[in-house]
Amino acid sequence: MSPAFELKASSFTLPVIRLLALDMDAVEAQLAPKVEQAPGFFQNTPVVIDLGALPRDSGIVAFPQLVGMLRGLGMIPVGVRGGSAQQNEAARAMELAILGESTRAARAAESTADRAEPAQAASASSEGHPEPPAAHGSLGSLLVDRPVRSGQRLYAAGGDLTVVGPVSSGAELMADGNIHVYGPLRGRVIAGLQGDLGARIFCRDLQAELVSVAGHYRVSENIPADLKGRSVQVFLDHEVLRIEPIG
């Protein structure tokens, strides 16, 4: 009998929602406007709930309300991390996975709330690389003429993002329009953040952890090996994400 399946170890970059309070009404009131800014990115997106910032004596998390709210906003909660034994037990009752702090997908991701925060200039992680790359631009477009290092996040709100240099693993590029990278592209790159189906990604050397256009994405494991390291464009064709070589 021929094999019907195989098990493989893999890694995915998942966004993380880090709870700072147990008031689910307040969480929804603050999260919903961010989802409205970039509906295509959040739609059907799996997310991890991080409880590590809550006080140790915070008690039970209202998981039924939280899970229902996230699903109502288009997201798919898949697991929790950083909770107490009591909180983890309540999460299991909602069929959420319990993830350790060493989980690569959770460790590599940032808060989804931060993802949608508009910024005309480059922003940098507070850990490791406080100096952001030089950025120039107007009318929403952004030009970066230095390498983008791990942990740095760039967002061109309302326009295109162009990077003249390499993008390191762990960095994140976002734009409401197109993204152009004239160097090795690692990290995560998200074009058409607010749902522009005509946005595209252009790069000279594709090595990305994740590419996304208007909420449609592929992770590295799902990018054909013969396209890695090549000059490509990433675009939507009838809502199917395509990656094609250039030249």
Side-chain angles (χ1 to χ4, degrees):
M1 181 176 182
S2 60
F5 71 94
E6 62 179 8
L7 295 174
K8 297 177 63 178
S10 186
S11 62
F12 296 91
T13 299
L14 298 181
V16 174
I17 293 182
R18 193 175 187 219
L19 282 188
L20 305 178
L22 292 179
D23 185 345
M24 294 302 127
D25 292 333
V27 172
E28 183 173 9
Q30 296 175 29
L31 181 58
K34 296 182 181 296
V35 174
E36 290 176 1
Q37 291 179 349
F41 176 76
F42 288 99
Q43 188 63 35
N44 296 323
T45 297
V47 296
V48 172
I49 302 166
D50 188 341
L51 307 176
L54 294 173
R56 294 194 177 187
D57 58 352
S58 58
I60 293 293
V61 178
F63 281 111
Q65 184 180 356
L66 176 58
V67 169
M69 178 260 292
L70 294 176
R71 288 176 176 167
L73 293 173
M75 289 172 271
I76 304 173
V78 296
V80 301
R81 69 172 185 177
S84 65
Q86 186 181 33
Q87 290 167 340
N88 288 346
E89 188 63 29
R92 288 190 188 95
M94 291 298 298
E95 299 184 346
L96 295 173
I98 308 303
L99 307 177
E101 290 298 325
S102 62
T103 301
R104 179 177 174 183
R107 192 174 65 244
E110 299 290 342
S111 165
T112 52
D114 289 340
R115 284 178 176 270
E117 195 69 39
Q120 295 295 339
S123 63
S125 169
S126 60
E127 301 177 2
H129 300 286
E131 182 70 23
H136 315 277
S138 60
L139 299 176
S141 294
L142 192 65
L143 170 64
V144 178
D145 58 8
R146 293 183 185 175
V148 183
R149 302 183 184 278
S150 179
Q152 291 178 330
R153 182 188 296 116
L154 306 179
Y155 176 26
D160 295 351
L161 173 60
T162 301
V163 178
V164 185
V167 177
S168 296
S169 178
E172 188 169 67
L173 306 181
M174 297 178 288
D176 292 340
N178 304 312
I179 295 178
H180 306 257
V181 179
Y182 297 96
L185 173 57
R186 303 178 182 90
R188 300 179 292 275
V189 55
I190 302 163
L193 183 63
Q194 298 207 43
D196 182 0
L197 299 177
R200 298 193 177 210
I201 299 167
F202 303 89
C203 69
R204 286 188 174 175
D205 183 351
L206 178 64
Q207 303 179 40
E209 299 165 6
L210 176 146
V211 293
S212 172
V213 175
H216 301 258
Y217 66 91
R218 287 197 203 181
V219 295
S220 176
E221 291 85 351
N222 294 330
I223 297 175
D226 61 345
L227 294 175
K228 295 181 179 181
R230 300 185 62 180
S231 296
V232 302
Q233 63 171 325
V234 184
F235 61 96
L236 288 178
D237 180 10
H238 295 92
E239 297 193 358
V240 175
L241 190 70
R242 299 196 180 280
I243 305 175
E244 293 187 354
I246 299 174

